[in-house]
Every structure is written in structure tokens, then in C-alpha cells.
Amino acid sequence: LDVEDLSKFGRMAHLKHFTLAHWGPGDLHSFLTPLLDAAETDGTSVYSHQLESLDCSDAHLGRDDVESLLRLLKLPGCRLKSLGVGRSEAMGWEFTCQEIKVPDQLSLHPLKALVETVRYHNVSLVEFPVGINVSRCASIGFWVRMNRACPNRIKLGRKPGLVFALASEISNVLEKDPYSASIVFELVRSTHQHWASGLAGNPK
């Protein structure tokens, strides 16, 4: 598929699942650009696409590809649930760049940038990206579990004082998974961190 073909698919607002056998540098960017432009042209930056599953199992990703993916995951109302990035224990992605600039942070490796984006901005991704070598990117699985267990975690962190809402969320998490102590700890820690930074007049 060439750039125009990928752009046509990206403009299909009702497309829910998209798989490409091989993604070359620039392909993911070409596919996502119409989707991102549509979300940003009205000034609301709200995710209006139906895309829920994106399989780029065999991918060589450039800087533009990674940055477009991170922009997608940050969109309010993002519906992307599954991000397939490989079909074996081997690394599913190869990068033509080794650093991505992340706002308020130093430049990060693309996988670390993905982790930080899901951690602070995304609650839609709920399926672990198979093929990511966990020794290089162990925490992505944790944040995907967090999204499954407590989809309100980011919203909760932005509303200081909602102690009862936090307690309710903890109860819901334990009901889903009685052994999710690490998730409960991170929910409380991150929520408290957001509240504290907000009270200090420096919200994240």
C-alpha cells in the first residue's frame, strides 16, 4: 500500500480493525494522519474515529510513526483497545530513531515514551501488546492492567477531594481481582500525587 492508500483507510471513520502485514517507516504516520487531523480540526481534539484494534505486528517505525501513535493515545475519548505489535516473544517493532521528545521530560526511548503516554494519558488500551520484549518494556503490561481494572484512574486523579470516589474505585478493583494489591497501591499513589500537585498550583 502506498501513502494515498493508507490515508484512505485512515479517513474511514467507521473502521474498527486494521491489520497490515508489514509496516515500513512512515506507513503508520500516513494511516493515522487523517484520523488525527479530523480530531484536531474542530479545536476539541476529541477522538471521533471508531478504530479499536490496530495490528502492526511486523513494523519498522520512524519518529513520525511513533509520535503519531502517541498523539492518538493521548486524544480524549480514544477507543483504541488493542495494539498488536508482534506474534512471538521476539521484539515486534524496530525503530529508525532511538529517542522521542516527551513534553516535560527528557527524550525517551520510543518504548518508554509509549509507557509514559499510557500511564498519564490513556485508559482505552486494555490488551497487552504481544511481542513486546518484557525485559525492555515490563511496565506497559502493568498500565494495561490498570486500564482494565480502573478505567476512571486518570479522571479520578484530576478531581481533588473525591475520597469516596477513590474508595469506591478501590472496592471495584478488588472485586474484579482480589490479588491486585499493586494496582490498588498505584491507584492511591498516583491519585494522591495528582491531588497534591493540584493543591500546590502545579497540576500535571
Side-chain angles (χ1 to χ4, degrees), residues 155-174:
K155 184 186 298 184
L156 190 64
R158 292 172 179 166
K159 296 184 178 180
L162 296 183
V163 176
F164 291 107
L166 176 59
S168 176
E169 198 70 29
I170 291 172
S171 176
N172 290 336
V173 170
L174 292 174

Side-chain angles (χ1 to χ4, degrees), residues 94-161:
E94 291 186 17
F95 300 99
T96 62
C97 64
Q98 292 302 310
E99 288 189 341
I100 295 292
K101 184 70 176 71
V102 177
D104 303 323
Q105 298 194 42
L106 298 174
S107 295
L108 301 174
H109 184 276
L111 285 178
K112 181 62 175 175
L114 173 65
V115 172
E116 294 299 293
T117 298
V118 174
R119 177 179 183 178
Y120 290 111
H121 302 284
N122 178 272
V123 293
S124 68
L125 200 62
V126 293
E127 291 188 17
F128 184 78
V130 295
I132 284 186
N133 187 319
V134 293
S135 65
R136 294 181 61 184
C137 195
S139 56
I140 185 63
F142 176 78
W143 293 107
V144 168
R145 285 180 60 213
M146 284 286 290
N147 284 350
R148 285 200 299 262
C150 31
N152 295 321
R153 63 183 182 85
I154 292 178
K155 184 186 298 184
L156 190 64
R158 292 172 179 166
K159 296 184 178 180

Side-chain angles (χ1 to χ4, degrees), residues 23-138:
W23 298 77
D27 286 349
L28 186 58
H29 174 68
S30 297
F31 172 71
L32 292 178
T33 294
L35 188 159
L36 294 167
D37 288 347
E40 294 171 356
T41 49
D42 62 0
T44 62
S45 295
V46 173
Y47 188 90
S48 56
H49 207 282
Q50 298 297 315
L51 188 66
E52 295 181 356
S53 174
L54 180 61
D55 188 346
C56 34
S57 302
D58 178 14
H60 289 71
L61 304 180
R63 186 180 305 278
D64 288 345
D65 300 308
V66 177
E67 290 179 346
S68 293
L69 177 60
L70 300 185
R71 284 172 60 200
L72 175 76
L73 292 170
K74 287 181 179 181
L75 285 177
C78 179
R79 295 187 180 94
L80 190 65
K81 298 177 181 179
S82 174
L83 182 62
V85 296
R87 301 192 183 280
S88 69
E89 293 182 0
M91 185 59 218
W93 285 348
E94 291 186 17
F95 300 99
T96 62
C97 64
Q98 292 302 310
E99 288 189 341
I100 295 292
K101 184 70 176 71
V102 177
D104 303 323
Q105 298 194 42
L106 298 174
S107 295
L108 301 174
H109 184 276
L111 285 178
K112 181 62 175 175
L114 173 65
V115 172
E116 294 299 293
T117 298
V118 174
R119 177 179 183 178
Y120 290 111
H121 302 284
N122 178 272
V123 293
S124 68
L125 200 62
V126 293
E127 291 188 17
F128 184 78
V130 295
I132 284 186
N133 187 319
V134 293
S135 65
R136 294 181 61 184
C137 195

Side-chain angles (χ1 to χ4, degrees), residues 11 129 201:
R11 286 191 287 269

